[in-house]
Amino acid sequence: MPGYSIAVLASHSALDVLDGAKDEGFRAIAIAKRGRELPYREFPIVDRLIVLNDFMEIINNDVIAMLKQENAIFVPNRSFAVYVGYDNIEGRFPIPMFGNRYLLRWEERVGPYNYYRLLDEAGIKRPRTFNSVDDVDRPVMVKLPESVRRVERGFFIARDRDDLLRKAKRLAEKGLVRLEDLNNASIEELVLGAHFNANYFYSRVRGRLELHGFDRRIQSNLDGVYRVPARDQLDLDIDVRYIEVGHEPATIRESLLEKVFEIGHRFVEVSSKLVPPGVIGPFTLQFIVTPELDLVVYDVAPRIGGGTNAYMGVGSQYSKLYFGRPISIGRRIAMEIREAIEQGRLEEVIT
């Protein structure tokens, strides 16, 4: 697309975004951190690689000037939110952003802006949460950061309150979590079922919600524990970790698609109400399908999901039903930007 470029922080799902940008004729710009830039040099899809000593430098005046010179439209991902911070994204990054930059902070579980509130107001089922450790009276999933790598998951499962305190102390003694983080931890009732990440796209240009596909997480060392027989798991006394290291494609039975569309529409509606202008472009709802075939959403990504790279180059399965050919979420983003520019509606898809 002459005159415009698409830029992304070089992490998370950036390769999908960059590949989609090139497919639709945009210049592709990657902003990488020194020591993590090699893939973006190796794959010949980057027109300009900006290497920083720290991701936070993206808000510096010289980097902003480079992006403005490139007439860049920026696509946010989770790494951008984590490493740059919501206050900086909303107040110190004057680059047109595809999507709703004010919705990003609602991905958190604590504070006044959290996805529990979005789900509750939308009437979407989610796991019951406990306000304090003392309230725990059943099996729970405790969600808190690791002690050193704060962006990684220090999650663990506990049978009840006493088991929670015992496991938290043991993990803290091993240096995996911090006990003080329990005060702000998210403690959710443990819901058992099949896990899915549903990747949606809300098109402002076409005025419709699209369901593009599903993926599932690959987590370390949880994935390895799955492969160890139960007797050996008990003998080894393994501390399970939930570090996300990849994704794999998945499908869901067609009789459940009705419910998948319902929660997607509800999420779009409540986001428009609470965080105007609401959803623009991609978002992901991560849910559990129970034996009763209920959908229980346990996590929300109000931007491009981490699993979209699973469909890069081949396209997500349901996208073919909209366009006659499979496309990736990265390409769908670039298509929306291109169509908005061609129709003089770019302001409707950026914030």
Side-chain angles (χ1 to χ4, degrees):
M1 175 61 63
Y4 287 93
S5 62
I6 289 178
V8 65
L9 200 74
S11 182
H12 195 263
S13 45
L15 290 173
D16 187 19
V17 173
L18 295 166
D19 183 54
K22 296 295 290 182
D23 282 343
E24 292 297 313
F26 290 92
R27 277 177 54 80
I29 300 175
I31 301 99
K33 181 179 178 180
R34 196 173 307 281
R36 293 174 55 175
E37 80 273 22
L38 186 56
Y40 308 94
R41 295 190 189 279
E42 294 283 342
F43 295 125
I45 59 168
V46 179
D47 292 304
R48 182 171 186 179
L49 177 64
I50 300 172
V51 180
L52 310 176
N53 292 318
D54 190 279
F55 281 133
M56 183 67 77
E57 294 176 6
I58 196 172
I59 63 173
N60 289 356
N61 290 336
D62 57 337
V63 180
I64 296 295
M66 282 189 278
L67 293 176
K68 286 184 176 180
Q69 184 182 36
E70 292 280 359
N71 205 13
I73 298 169
F74 193 85
V75 177
N77 54 29
R78 180 58 177 167
S79 294
F80 180 61
V82 167
Y83 293 116
V84 180
Y86 304 119
D87 290 340
N88 289 325
I89 291 170
E90 293 176 5
R92 300 183 61 190
F93 190 67
I95 299 298
M97 186 175 298
F98 178 74
N100 184 350
R101 72 176 69 208
Y102 305 102
L103 188 57
L104 296 176
R105 68 168 65 237
W106 288 74
E107 187 168 353
E108 300 304 319
R109 301 181 182 91
V110 296
Y113 310 106
N114 62 80
Y115 70 74
Y116 293 137
R117 183 180 168 194
L118 288 173
L119 296 176
D120 289 344
E121 298 228 9
I124 297 173
K125 290 183 180 181
R126 65 171 177 86
R128 174 185 172 184
T129 50
F130 296 87
N131 294 325
S132 73
V133 172
D134 290 335
D135 295 333
V136 175
D137 61 356
R138 66 195 66 192
V140 292
M141 168 69 81
V142 184
K143 298 181 176 182
L144 71 173
E146 283 198 347
S147 60
V148 178
R149 297 180 300 174
R150 304 297 285 172
V151 299
E152 297 292 359
R153 303 160 181 269
F155 297 1
F156 64 93
I157 292 171
R159 290 192 305 271
D160 51 30
R161 172 187 174 276
D162 292 342
D163 190 43
L164 189 161
L165 292 172
R166 182 167 52 251
K167 286 182 176 176
K169 183 179 179 181
R170 186 179 73 179
L171 292 171
E173 289 172 348
K174 292 184 176 182
L176 297 177
V177 302
R178 301 176 185 175
L179 283 179
E180 57 266 30
D181 284 335
L182 278 180
N183 296 326
N184 293 315
S186 175
I187 305 174
E188 297 180 356
E189 179 179 13
L190 183 64
V191 179
L192 296 179
H195 290 236
F196 292 90
N197 299 339
N199 298 309
Y200 301 88
F201 190 96
Y202 185 69
S203 172
R204 294 279 170 165
V205 172
R206 301 194 181 210
R208 70 187 185 194
L209 174 69
E210 300 168 3
L211 174 64
H212 277 244
F214 299 90
D215 65 80
R216 304 175 79 164
R217 289 173 172 166
I218 302 172
Q219 295 172 300
S220 182
N221 63 351
L222 178 64
D223 191 63
V225 173
Y226 281 154
R227 302 170 191 273
V228 177
R231 180 180 58 193
D232 296 328
Q233 290 181 25
L234 294 173
D235 289 341
L236 294 170
D237 192 23
I238 303 167
D239 289 316
V240 177
R241 311 281 291 278
Y242 293 82
I243 311 303
E244 192 169 320
V245 295
H247 292 79
E248 56 190 2
T251 61
I252 199 168
R253 58 190 281 184
E254 287 192 23
S255 60
L256 289 172
L257 289 176
E258 180 93 8
K259 295 178 179 179
V260 175
F261 274 107
E262 285 177 355
I263 63 173
H265 281 292
R266 288 183 182 183
F267 186 80
V268 168
E269 290 169 6
V270 78
S271 299
S272 180
K273 172 185 172 185
L274 293 181
V275 201
V279 176
I280 301 171
F283 67 98
T284 298
L285 298 181
Q286 301 171 19
F287 59 82
I288 297 163
V289 179
T290 69
E292 295 75 32
L293 301 184
D294 289 326
L295 273 53
V296 182
V297 176
Y298 66 91
D299 211 344
V300 169
R303 36 74 190 167
I304 187 170
T308 67
N309 279 352
Y311 295 105
M312 183 178 61
V314 294
S316 51
Q317 63 270 53
Y318 297 104
S319 64
K320 184 178 185 298
L321 306 180
Y322 297 102
F323 302 102
R325 70 188 193 282
I327 63 168
S328 69
I329 286 288
R331 184 163 192 176
R332 183 66 186 90
I333 289 170
M335 288 171 60
E336 185 83 352
I337 294 172
R338 176 180 55 76
E339 291 176 2
I341 292 170
E342 291 172 347
Q343 297 178 29
R345 301 171 62 186
L346 182 59
E347 294 300 317
E348 295 180 30
V349 301
I350 61 172
T351 55

